[in-house]
Amino acid sequence: MKLFRKNHLDKNAAFDGHMFETFGPEYKTVERIAKKDPKRIATLLDCDGAIWIARGRHWVNRLGYLIGKQKLPPFDDFKFG
């Protein structure tokens, strides 16, 4: 998780403290950073019970967002579990 910054708004955030919610002040942080540099955002997705990380902001099946400490390197979507 060294690529992603910790959620400074919620010390008990999911995904080892890195996930930003899809609403409220946490999402406003995601929006603000995405406007400046969209390549810093990744989305946690639930697809048929598996959790995926996809680069960019996605809406369908989203669980939350991750914010890179800097521009994220190109990567293919990948699955956990």
Side-chain angles (χ1 to χ4, degrees):
M1 298 306 296
K2 295 180 190 251
L3 286 176
F4 301 107
R5 69 184 251 193
K6 291 270 190 176
N7 183 335
H8 63 287
L9 299 171
D10 181 0
K11 301 297 181 206
N12 297 311
F15 217 73
D16 197 28
H18 293 87
M19 188 180 89
F20 287 77
E21 290 291 346
T22 60
F23 57 89
E26 292 179 41
Y27 184 68
K28 289 195 183 296
T29 299
V30 171
E31 279 187 315
R32 181 177 44 80
I33 291 171
K35 284 180 185 177
K36 291 179 187 174
D37 192 354
K39 292 183 179 181
R40 286 184 56 197
I41 305 298
T43 307
L44 289 166
L45 302 164
D46 178 356
C47 300
D48 296 325
I51 296 176
W52 288 77
I53 293 181
R55 193 169 179 192
R57 271 196 300 174
H58 299 270
W59 302 100
V60 177
N61 298 333
R62 67 187 174 159
L63 297 172
Y65 296 99
L66 299 171
I67 299 174
K69 292 179 180 177
Q70 53 193 345
K71 286 183 184 180
L72 297 172
F75 63 86
D76 292 330
D77 299 350
F78 56 95
K79 176 174 137 177
F80 290 91

